[in-house]
Amino acid sequence: MKHKIKGDIISWNSSIWEFNQKMKSIKEDEDIELEINPYGGDMFLGIDIMNTLRSHPGKVTVTVTGIAASAAGLICMGADVIRMFSNTQRMLHQPWTIAAGNAKELRKVADDLESAEESILASYTHRIDADTAKKLLDEETYLTAKKAKELGLIDEIIDS
């Protein structure tokens, strides 16, 4: 199965809807080739797609064709093989949100964000160690394909 996810990682993105439809009819041992170019979006939707890919028995290859930022970077972590073109980027950052409320409610939002950070770290630590992942997230890091490969976040650079 070949597919491309473009645009934000949000439930009403047609390329995500089409991906979910294709996943319903894919053969168990069929290989998946997924191209992505999103700036980011919903962390939990990114984790859901990542886990869908991780649980698929066939070989899963994700290719970054522009940028895999934020939630899109999480999707990459579901692949058996991650590839980037030499002129593309990956971006990792801590989870964030928009909040309103009183002091008690805002403290809870901060606690919830720390919990979300644990989920993001768990998404990266099967490829890189937790200290490296935390540093990249804390610094809101943009990575070239070369740097992503050096860190172990991808397997192959296309046209290097």
Side-chain angles (χ1 to χ4, degrees):
M1 188 259 289
K2 291 185 178 185
H3 188 69
K4 182 167 187 169
I5 294 178
K6 54 189 185 273
D8 292 336
I9 306 302
I10 49 177
S11 60
W12 57 90
N13 176 331
S14 62
S15 65
I16 291 173
W17 185 87
E18 291 165 4
F19 169 77
N20 287 328
Q21 293 306 308
K22 286 182 177 183
M23 288 303 294
K24 289 178 182 177
S25 61
I26 192 171
K27 295 175 188 160
E28 187 172 302
D29 62 346
E30 187 174 344
D31 292 346
I32 296 172
E33 294 180 28
L34 182 63
E35 294 181 346
I36 61 172
N37 182 32
Y39 292 104
D42 183 322
M43 175 191 106
F44 295 110
L45 182 54
I47 288 173
D48 176 56
I49 296 170
M50 175 189 82
N51 289 333
T52 297
L53 295 173
R54 285 177 92 181
S55 64
H56 181 68
K59 181 179 177 184
V60 177
T61 302
V62 171
T63 302
V64 178
T65 61
I67 190 166
S70 191
L74 296 172
I75 291 172
C76 291
M77 295 297 96
D80 299 306
V81 176
I82 305 168
R83 306 167 354 136
M84 291 175 69
F85 283 89
S86 60
N87 60 346
T88 61
Q89 293 271 315
R90 291 281 311 270
M91 190 273 279
L92 298 79
H93 69 91
Q94 290 290 359
W96 63 272
T97 191
I98 298 170
N102 61 39
K104 182 178 177 182
E105 292 165 333
L106 292 175
R107 280 186 197 92
K108 181 175 181 333
V109 169
D111 291 342
D112 292 345
L113 283 171
E114 288 176 351
S115 178
E117 178 187 345
E118 289 180 36
S119 294
I120 292 173
L121 280 171
S123 299
Y124 282 107
T125 54
H126 69 280
R127 278 203 170 250
I128 60 175
D129 67 85
D131 290 337
T132 301
K134 178 132 177 54
K135 182 177 187 287
L136 295 170
L137 293 166
D138 286 346
E139 295 176 359
E140 188 171 304
T141 309
Y142 283 80
L143 301 169
T144 62
K146 182 180 177 185
K147 185 65 177 175
K149 189 166 190 314
E150 288 171 10
L151 290 169
L153 286 170
I154 69 166
D155 302 295
E156 180 184 338
I157 299 173
I158 302 167
D159 74 2
S160 61

